[in-house]
Amino acid sequence: MAKQEDVFKKVISHAKEYGFIFPSSEIYDGLSAIYDYGQNGAELKNNIKQYWWKAMVQLNENIVGIDSAIFMHPTIWKASGHVDAFNDPLIDNKDSKKRFRADVLIEDYCAKIEEKENKEIEKAAKRFGDAFDKAEFEATNPKVLEYRAKRAAILTRMAKSLETENLADVKALIEELEIADPDTGSRNWTEVRQFNLMFGTKLGAASENATELYLRPETAQGIFVNYLNVQKTSRHKLPFGIAQIGKAFRNEIVARQFIFRMREFEQMEMQYFVPPGTELEFYEYWKQTRLKWHLALGLGAENYRFHDHEKLAHYANAAADIEFNFPFGFKELEGIHSRTDFDLKAHEKFSGRKLQYFDPERNESYVPYVVETSVGLDRLFLALFSTCLKDEVLEDGSERTVLSLPPALAPVKAAILPLMKKDGLAEYAETIFNDLKYDFNLFYEEKDAIGKRYRRQDAIGTPICITIDHDSLADNTVTIRDRDTMKQERVAVADLRRIIDEKVNFRTLLSKI
Ligand code: ATP
């Protein structure tokens, strides 16, 4: 089995074993691509939301947050283009009966070519050592150039076929490239068909006059249709932004890879409304700002890269993804799009209402342009969880599993651990717990050997363990143990609040952006 697969399996089993993520409806054998967050998962998820919300709403005086409903007027999805164009091309394998996204099969084929290309570069880097000039090698090496040209030709042809709805050519491309079902090797494919990703439902009790609705496939439209309400009541001038965190639903054709691609998931989106003509400047600004926000988490700059879109969606004049190095390779974590005035103009047309802004500086009214940042909360969870989960061999040869989350995001901030229950240690520990519980999410435990208790806290990422022993009763001091260094230190009980706060506050994280 490939090493990456092992790592991913460990991530999934650790998430379940330690109360982070459970398969939904597990006692009924689960529901495909739907997951529940357990006691530690819900805390981590809430902390990620806080980090995003504070960075957007609290740090920017011109960004406000809203919470719009999941159900929206059905015409909204006509205006946004989702009814007509929110489709994925699907293809079935006749032998394995498995369903795939045709574009993903082709993209995966290209990713394999890219791997070969990277191997050539790595080989050359080893051969030439310090004298290696990567840029020059990439620009001149015939093999690398050949791989690149091949990839570009395939992706351009696919983009064109998808754009012109030439699904027969997408099938032809799959056949020409001899792409097989990755699990069975079969090349017995059906035609390629379009599949709409929205879930439908009904509003109203009587079936004859019930209204057909959709579960929202993105949170953005709730912001667009409220933009004028928010602008007028907040009295913000352009540029200003509206942020929102909420559920979105997509009937994904292939929903594998754990919480990376789910049918019910959460998005954290911000729409930035700007004067026409300034959108590309703000697009660049938000690209860089969002990358900095990710980098502040400390998961390593080498794990992020931009992917600029060549094929743009019908509403965009520039678009990029921030990709992250997940256990299964680099994949989209966040999208940054310059959405022009497409959505607001469409809503004007379909609703018959004016959505214009009067610009006092330009002395004219216009429909604002929009730059959007959209990050998947669950994908961010997976990025953090999979990168922070580590097996370590300690100096004495023993092993431990540690989840080295950024302390501000850790589900439990400190564990209060009396060495034993008797001799008044438990009572003393409880007074500490009761004093600190108003400021931090704590965990209290008095069972098992202290070493075992430390390991359990390491496994859920608790930054600080506080041990209460007999000396504590005499001199009001306790031992604190640091999750990452495992160093122990004797401190005064009176200093605990300050020490924990210095370690886990959001200020430290936010000031890095
Ligand atoms: P992909 O290409 O991976 O399907 P997308 O380009 O359709 O993603 P967007 O519409 O740009 O995604 O949505 C914004 C963000 O929402 C994505 O960057 C991703 O983090 C998250 N997201 C989208 N679809 C899902 C899903 N099915 N499960 C979990 N997160 C998702």
Side-chain angles (χ1 to χ4, degrees):
M1 195 192 299
K3 200 160 170 281
Q4 275 191 328
E5 274 175 48
D6 282 343
V7 172
F8 197 35
K9 276 198 167 161
K10 161 109 194 182
V11 165
I12 297 170
S13 68
H14 192 90
K16 185 172 174 204
E17 194 181 337
Y18 286 91
F20 284 88
I21 299 168
F22 307 124
S24 164
S25 323
E26 198 184 8
I27 60 169
Y28 291 95
D29 296 331
L31 191 59
S32 164
I34 315 277
Y35 290 91
D36 295 336
Y37 286 84
Q39 67 280 15
N40 290 320
E43 291 289 345
L44 174 54
K45 210 173 165 197
N46 279 337
N47 293 337
I48 298 172
K49 285 190 209 179
Q50 271 204 57
Y51 174 47
W52 185 86
W53 191 269
K54 282 176 191 288
M56 282 295 177
V57 177
Q58 200 172 310
L59 298 194
N60 294 287
E61 60 80 29
N62 67 342
I63 298 181
V64 293
I66 68 164
D67 183 13
S68 71
I70 287 172
F71 291 135
M72 298 171 74
H73 195 286
T75 311
I76 286 172
W77 306 111
K78 196 81 197 142
S80 68
H82 283 82
V83 171
D84 298 320
F86 195 51
N87 301 315
D88 275 345
L90 72 80
I91 190 165
D92 290 291
N93 187 282
K94 289 185 201 162
D95 296 328
S96 69
K97 310 273 179 258
K98 278 206 177 138
R99 182 158 281 185
F100 296 88
R101 262 174 65 175
D103 55 336
V104 171
L105 285 177
I106 295 169
E107 277 166 9
D108 285 350
Y109 180 90
C110 290
K112 283 200 188 116
I113 304 180
E114 194 182 356
E115 264 171 41
K116 286 188 198 161
E117 198 178 298
N118 288 338
K119 277 207 184 114
E120 286 297 325
I121 298 170
E122 267 170 42
K123 263 195 323 202
K126 266 198 199 139
R127 210 171 46 236
F128 292 113
D130 286 345
F132 184 58
D133 181 341
K134 190 164 175 248
E136 160 131 22
F137 184 79
E138 285 178 340
T140 54
N141 180 270
K143 269 196 182 155
V144 169
L145 291 175
E146 189 192 315
Y147 287 139
R148 289 212 171 154
K150 190 169 175 197
R151 268 199 302 140
I154 296 170
L155 291 174
T156 313
R157 178 167 156 198
M158 179 180 83
K160 187 154 172 262
S161 307
L162 287 174
E163 226 165 76
T164 52
E165 295 269 321
N166 185 355
L167 298 181
D169 190 56
V170 177
K171 160 102 188 262
L173 188 56
I174 289 177
E175 281 176 338
E176 279 168 38
L177 298 173
E178 300 186 342
I179 295 176
D181 176 335
D183 300 325
T184 64
S186 159
R187 295 206 292 258
N188 192 5
W189 296 111
T190 62
E191 297 308 307
V192 176
R193 280 173 295 146
Q194 289 289 20
F195 177 77
N196 192 287
L197 300 183
M198 284 199 292
F199 284 101
T201 185
K202 285 190 166 62
L203 184 85
S207 59
E208 60 278 10
N209 51 19
T211 314
E212 295 272 355
L213 292 187
Y214 297 104
L215 297 185
R216 66 180 179 199
E218 62 176 23
T219 53
Q221 298 304 323
I223 290 181
F224 289 128
V225 299
N226 275 302
Y227 119 84
L228 215 50
N229 281 339
V230 176
Q231 193 275 320
K232 285 189 171 148
T233 51
S234 67
R235 297 170 49 243
H236 276 302
K237 289 197 186 126
L238 258 55
F240 85 100
I242 306 180
Q244 170 161 237
I245 300 175
K247 290 259 175 164
F249 304 83
R250 295 183 188 179
N251 201 1
E252 299 279 4
I253 297 167
V254 187
R256 294 196 202 107
Q257 296 167 324
F258 196 36
I259 56 170
F260 179 82
R261 190 178 298 288
M262 296 196 287
R263 300 205 163 99
E264 173 181 340
F265 58 99
E266 243 170 304
Q267 290 184 315
M268 305 193 284
E269 295 202 302
M270 194 278 295
Q271 266 71 34
Y272 205 64
F273 298 85
V274 305
T278 64
E279 71 276 8
L280 292 178
E281 187 188 312
F282 286 112
Y283 166 75
E284 275 309 320
Y285 169 81
W286 281 109
K287 250 177 91 175
Q288 300 309 329
T289 307
R290 292 302 301 146
L291 183 62
K292 272 198 233 157
W293 181 90
H294 286 286
L295 292 177
L297 291 169
L299 303 184
E302 70 284 3
N303 285 322
Y304 297 87
R305 70 180 187 198
F306 280 120
H307 166 73
D308 293 308
H309 288 208
E310 278 146 41
K311 177 192 166 233
L312 295 171
H314 57 282
Y315 51 73
N317 67 359
D321 298 333
I322 295 177
E323 293 186 338
F324 184 78
N325 190 9
F326 287 98
F328 36 82
F330 273 96
K331 296 268 180 217
E332 173 175 344
L333 171 62
E334 169 153 0
I336 295 133
H337 308 125
S338 173
R339 284 181 85 130
T340 68
D341 56 357
F342 172 85
D343 300 85
L344 292 180
K345 277 244 172 84
H347 288 307
E348 273 200 330
K349 186 169 147 220
F350 279 79
S351 68
R353 304 283 181 91
K354 281 234 168 304
L355 294 177
Q356 303 216 334
Y357 165 79
F358 177 74
D359 185 331
E361 273 156 42
R362 293 191 184 187
N363 197 25
E364 59 172 343
S365 292
Y366 52 75
V367 173
Y369 272 48
V370 174
V371 174
E372 155 185 281
T373 73
S374 175
V375 56
L377 174 52
D378 313 272
R379 285 193 190 175
L380 194 56
F381 188 113
L382 182 58
L384 275 158
F385 198 85
S386 56
T387 313
C388 294
L389 187 62
K390 290 169 195 141
D391 283 327
E392 286 180 357
V393 179
L394 308 179
E395 270 172 22
D396 65 0
S398 64
E399 286 176 24
R400 73 161 183 165
T401 299
V402 60
L403 189 65
S404 53
L405 292 167
L409 303 188
V412 173
K413 301 299 190 249
I416 314 270
L417 312 171
L419 211 47
M420 55 180 65
K421 198 172 169 189
K422 48 184 195 182
D423 301 338
L425 295 191
E427 287 77 6
Y428 190 80
E430 250 173 72
T431 58
I432 296 178
F433 183 94
N434 285 329
D435 181 40
L436 296 175
K437 71 181 177 188
Y438 298 100
D439 298 298
F440 311 106
N441 191 33
L442 304 172
F443 179 83
Y444 179 89
E445 191 174 48
E446 51 195 32
K447 271 205 305 281
D448 287 339
I450 195 72
K452 248 190 180 170
R453 285 187 263 168
Y454 285 158
R455 290 289 181 275
R456 282 200 289 264
Q457 294 308 311
D458 287 344
I460 64 165
T462 306
I464 294 175
C465 285
I466 300 168
T467 310
I468 292 95
D469 55 25
H470 288 92
D471 290 344
S472 306
L473 303 181
D475 62 5
N476 290 322
T477 62
V478 287
T479 300
I480 57 168
R481 170 192 178 268
D482 183 276
R483 175 195 71 196
D484 301 326
T485 62
M486 289 182 289
K487 288 228 167 76
Q488 303 195 8
E489 199 186 337
R490 202 74 191 168
V491 303
V493 171
D495 290 336
L496 279 176
R497 180 173 286 103
R498 179 186 52 79
I499 292 170
I500 303 172
D501 179 71
E502 274 170 10
K503 186 90 187 164
V504 307
N505 69 55
F506 271 101
R507 213 165 37 245
T508 314
L509 197 53
L510 290 165
S511 57
K512 286 189 205 152
I513 302 170

